[in-house]
Amino acid sequence: MTRSTLGGAVLRGTVSTALMASLMSAPALAAPPVDLSKWSPEYVRSIAGTQDFDTAGDCAKVTPLDYKGRLTFWYQGVFEGDPDLLRQYYKDFFETFRKTYPNIQLEEQALTYNDLLDKFRTALLGNAAPMAVRLQILGGTEFASKGYLQPLKPEDVGYSTEDFWPGAMKAVTWDGVTYGIPTNNETMAFIWNADIFKRAGLDPDKAPATWDDVVKYSKQIHDKLGIAGYGLVARKNAGNTPYRFMPQLWAYGGGVFDEATANPTYKDIELNSAQSKAALQASYDMYVRDKSVPVSALTNQQADNQPLFLAGQLGMMISHPSDYNVMLDLQKKATGTDKDKAQTVIDNMRYGLIPTGPDGKRAVVFGGSNIHILKPEYVEGGKVDEPAAKAIICMWTSPEWSLKMAYAGSNPGNLNGFKTKWMKERLDSIKFLDVTTSMLPYGIPFPALPQSPEIMNIIVPDMLQNALTGAMTVDQAADDAAKKVKDLMGGGL
Amino acid sequence: MTIVSGKAEARRRLQSARPDVLRKMWEHRADYAYVLPAIAVMLVVIAYPIYYTIELSFFNTPPGLQLRDKIFVGLNNYTAILTSPVFWQVTLNTLIWTAASTFISFVLGFAAALALHRDFFGRGALRAILIIPWVISAVAASYIWKWIYHSDFGIIGAVLVELGWASRPPNFIDSVSTVLPSLIVVNIWREFPFAMIMMTAGLQTVPEQLLRAAKVDGANAWQRFWHVTFPHLRNVSTVTILLLAVANFNSFIIPWIMTGGGPSNASHIWITHIYELAFGRQRWGVASAYSVLLFIILMTLGYFYVRALSGNERKDGDA
């Protein structure tokens, strides 16, 4: 079915012209605040703490501070796997917003990553959505393509498109129009326990260089120590699964489509290519052949791996820099000898770059979240208080708050956040932050397609489960998944 | 003698009945007014959703389109469901889940009711303890059982390994062959107190003098149970089984929270599969077609339930 019409073409033409015009405006022509070509941990350190920002003053230019209004707002908030530090920053943000805009009646609702999409979709069906929403990066395109979202670009809240990572901007663009602003960019790292490595006869200070090494190391740890080597996650309908499997898939040279290339077209399905099958085979080898990963991988999530890691029962995993803080939080809750054991694990925690594939390809999911404004017809009450929505968006995507709200877990959506004094403080206080900022250039966004949530949350985990349970062979599971993607893209039932 | 055809007679009866029906309705106008709000609410919250679900079942709803842009596909959703291997896998799971949960919950509940029917010290406390699984939240119970079953550090596995009865923790919910039985155990644990309560209530209606008379006539315990107690419990048993069956067909919380239908669809039952189709994959049309099929099955069960209740009432009336 085609949805292209003459009216649509004219509309797209008009929007494109408007977009071009906006790009020609002064802020858009301004140089990017950071030089991405120089990106390295040293560069990030050199720019940290070099600029001050007046958040309230900047946002007052977008929405006056005495503005009176009402805003309903849903956001992907903190969950059980997040550190207490992040909880505090979320609390601080809403308190600060209420102080800065005392006359805006804010009705916010936090939802976890795995619940937000379902609830938001249901609310939209009943025209009962909030006025503004902060969604995981995977969700924006689906809602933009369905026409639920208002066009919204950084310039609308006083920033420039160049203030944000180009990869992040791709995820909020559909049919040439920008429908949201990135709040944070997330790239994970590879974490291991040096003590476990040492006891298993591995170099304690060296991360596995390739995914084949991960398979080998995992087996060695399991065989020598009787504990799980690598923290595989394959639960369905859980964001953790694609965030851990896709880097492996891309590193082997596979993909769902060609999303790992510089200019993806999403035309050809690659899920059953030889490279994709090799990636799936690596998971199969760890789970079925070597039994070197947690048996609970099919029903657990990363939040289940964290206590395993802290208990010294897991050698390696992919996660955020925030896991260091999570471990500190968990250690505080431990009692007796468990406390000392946990401290040993924390002391032996090491971070490294995510391993490469056989051809030296390194990849990580370019994750994060974006913030959007809904069209009035889908909002409860039929009205959107745009100035109020822009006020909260301006604050959240400001250099200050986009950094603070990503303090321990990811990186600021607004690149100016890297220049703030809080970034300097963060580099000094959060161990291993360098590693995840170093992973940013390797970030690959999920395909910017409305079908992406189903592909990543259901089809890919199904493929893993089918192979790992023996319900299908690796080849059959990959072929089955590729067929499902093909049917989905063809608009099939 | 005038011969009146069957058709003419029926017409005559209808004509004479019409004013009678209208008169009766007018006489009971206050009664109708009392139930009108309830009927109006039911039309909005039950009748319309049913109609809309049936309508949606004839449409395709691709993820890139809003629901209002749905595409008419006739009976394709039904064809797609009935030809899908997943449907048959999920249907088999649902039948096993429902039959096993219902039957075992009923048997255990009945046994517990019989055991607790006799007076002994601590009976009240024991009865209260046995009711606990039924009164605690299903969500909380599911999370607790998920940890009890955990394939790496669940308490059952830890105890078995500690006692030397297993070299590694058993795989309860991460294996396609053990996941469904493991979930059924949790469901039975949750549901048998309900059967126990129902059967306890039923046992209290068995006339004591009949049991005494049977004893005087020389009937042993089994004969008294089989020929006196059980016939009195037939109707309450039917109702209990039907209620359990309907509840099990509609189960969602335990399988969804504990496994999300996995691994590899091995613990998907109809309701969880419908939920995933609708909310996870936005296949509102296919999910609606599934729901229509489930509705037909549940309505059939509902019919038998109402018949069983009517049977009870008739028997009570006869008595």
Side-chain angles (χ1 to χ4, degrees), chain A residues 1 3 117-118 121-122 125 142-143 145-148 222 235-237 287 291 293-301 304 307-308 377-378 450-451 453-454 458 462 465-467 469 471 484 487-488 491-493, chain B residues 59-69 71 73 76-77 80 146-147 150-153 168 171 173-176 256-265 268 275-284 286:
Chain A
M1 194 197 71
R3 288 188 294 121
L117 282 181
D118 288 358
R121 282 174 184 146
T122 313
L125 291 176
E142 173 191 327
F143 301 108
S145 72
K146 285 180 172 177
Y148 290 128
H222 178 261
R235 186 184 164 95
K236 201 152 83 164
N237 280 310
Y287 191 84
K291 295 182 173 51
V293 295
V295 182
S296 56
L298 305 183
T299 43
N300 73 7
Q301 347 184 32
D304 299 303
L308 263 184
E377 57 265 41
Y378 305 110
Q451 293 86 353
E454 181 172 342
I458 294 175
D462 254 347
Q465 292 200 347
N466 284 334
T469 56
K484 283 177 184 161
D487 290 346
L488 176 67
L493 305 173
Chain B
F59 288 87
N60 183 17
T61 56
L65 292 183
Q66 281 194 30
L67 200 52
R68 67 181 179 199
D69 301 323
I71 303 156
V73 291
N76 281 10
N77 288 332
K146 195 179 165 188
W147 283 99
H150 199 286
S151 309
D152 294 298
F153 45 94
R168 54 186 299 165
N171 187 346
I173 54 174
D174 289 279
S175 152
V176 287
W256 187 254
I257 288 181
M258 290 185 67
T259 61
S264 211
N265 297 324
H268 253 321
Y275 180 85
E276 184 182 285
L277 281 168
F279 296 94
R281 302 177 56 198
Q282 302 166 80
R283 297 293 202 282
W284 307 102
V286 182

Side-chain angles (χ1 to χ4, degrees), chain B residues 34-273:
Chain B
Y34 291 139
V35 295
L36 198 62
I39 290 173
V41 170
M42 281 176 72
L43 282 174
V44 174
V45 302
I46 299 177
Y48 178 71
I50 290 173
Y51 156 75
Y52 189 55
T53 304
I54 295 170
E55 186 199 339
L56 258 184
S57 73
F58 300 115
F59 288 87
N60 183 17
T61 56
L65 292 183
Q66 281 194 30
L67 200 52
R68 67 181 179 199
D69 301 323
K70 57 190 184 292
I71 303 156
F72 183 75
V73 291
L75 291 170
N76 281 10
N77 288 332
Y78 291 93
T79 317
I81 289 170
L82 295 172
T83 53
S84 155
V86 176
F87 168 76
W88 295 107
Q89 185 189 354
V90 170
T91 301
L92 183 64
N93 290 346
T94 310
L95 292 175
I96 293 170
W97 164 270
T98 306
S101 300
T102 304
F103 179 72
I104 302 172
S105 296
F106 175 74
V107 170
L108 285 179
F110 195 2
L114 284 171
L116 293 173
H117 190 53
R118 280 179 294 176
D119 201 12
F120 59 88
F121 176 74
R123 182 176 71 158
L126 197 56
R127 197 177 270 167
I129 289 168
L130 287 177
I131 290 172
I132 289 173
W134 190 50
V135 295
I136 65 169
S137 145
V139 174
S142 303
Y143 277 110
I144 291 167
W145 273 96
K146 195 179 165 188
W147 283 99
I148 290 173
Y149 276 152
H150 199 286
S151 309
D152 294 298
F153 45 94
I155 191 160
I156 298 177
V159 169
L160 293 177
V161 171
E162 195 65 31
L163 292 173
W165 294 353
S167 57
R168 54 186 299 165
N171 187 346
F172 289 109
I173 54 174
D174 289 279
S175 152
V176 287
S177 55
T178 55
V179 63
L180 195 59
S182 303
L183 297 191
I184 288 171
V185 168
V186 180
N187 199 34
I188 291 166
W189 171 83
R190 275 265 310 151
E191 277 184 345
F192 92 89
F194 169 73
M196 184 186 79
I197 292 166
M198 293 289 283
M199 299 314 289
T200 301
L203 282 169
Q204 284 163 2
T205 66
V206 180
E208 197 61 32
Q209 63 270 33
L210 278 183
L211 289 166
R212 278 202 298 269
K215 201 171 182 179
V216 169
D217 289 345
N220 61 26
W222 168 251
Q223 287 168 327
R224 287 201 300 279
F225 169 75
W226 189 246
H227 294 293
V228 180
T229 306
F230 192 67
H232 272 89
L233 296 175
R234 202 168 46 215
N235 288 320
V236 72
S237 301
T238 311
V239 171
T240 305
I241 289 170
L242 280 169
L243 284 176
L244 284 172
V246 171
N248 288 324
F249 258 115
N250 276 313
S251 285
F252 177 77
I253 296 173
I254 291 171
W256 187 254
I257 288 181
M258 290 185 67
T259 61
S264 211
N265 297 324
S267 63
H268 253 321
I269 55 175
W270 273 31
I271 294 286
T272 56
H273 191 48

Side-chain angles (χ1 to χ4, degrees), chain A residues 99-255:
Chain A
K99 271 185 205 156
T100 312
Y101 285 98
N103 300 320
I104 292 179
Q105 185 195 333
L106 175 66
E107 294 162 28
E108 79 272 27
Q109 199 177 128
L111 294 149
T112 63
Y113 187 99
N114 295 337
D115 296 330
L116 179 55
L117 282 181
D118 288 358
K119 180 160 176 169
F120 187 55
R121 282 174 184 146
T122 313
L124 284 166
L125 291 176
N127 299 334
M131 296 174 196
V133 64
R134 179 195 179 229
L135 286 174
Q136 54 264 56
I137 202 164
L138 195 56
T141 312
E142 173 191 327
F143 301 108
S145 72
K146 285 180 172 177
Y148 290 128
L149 307 177
Q150 289 193 35
L152 174 73
K153 55 188 187 302
E155 285 73 11
D156 296 331
V157 291
Y159 306 118
S160 156
T161 297
E162 279 70 19
D163 290 340
F164 299 82
W165 275 87
M169 291 309 297
K170 266 190 205 171
V172 287
T173 304
W174 173 252
D175 232 359
V177 181
T178 308
Y179 287 95
I181 302 172
T183 57
N184 59 304
N185 304 319
E186 184 178 286
T187 47
M188 297 191 193
F190 198 83
I191 304 173
W192 75 95
N193 180 326
D195 180 51
I196 290 178
F197 268 41
K198 197 175 169 187
R199 286 190 286 125
L202 298 163
D203 183 343
D205 293 313
K206 208 171 152 197
T210 66
W211 277 100
D212 288 340
D213 288 343
V214 174
V215 177
K216 271 187 238 157
Y217 284 26
S218 186
K219 182 174 170 15
Q220 193 165 330
I221 290 168
H222 178 261
D223 291 350
K224 291 230 168 153
L225 307 176
I227 60 172
Y230 171 64
L232 186 83
V233 175
R235 186 184 164 95
K236 201 152 83 164
N237 280 310
N240 294 153
T241 304
Y243 272 82
R244 276 149 194 85
F245 181 67
M246 295 309 288
Q248 189 179 328
L249 188 72
W250 291 324
Y252 274 95

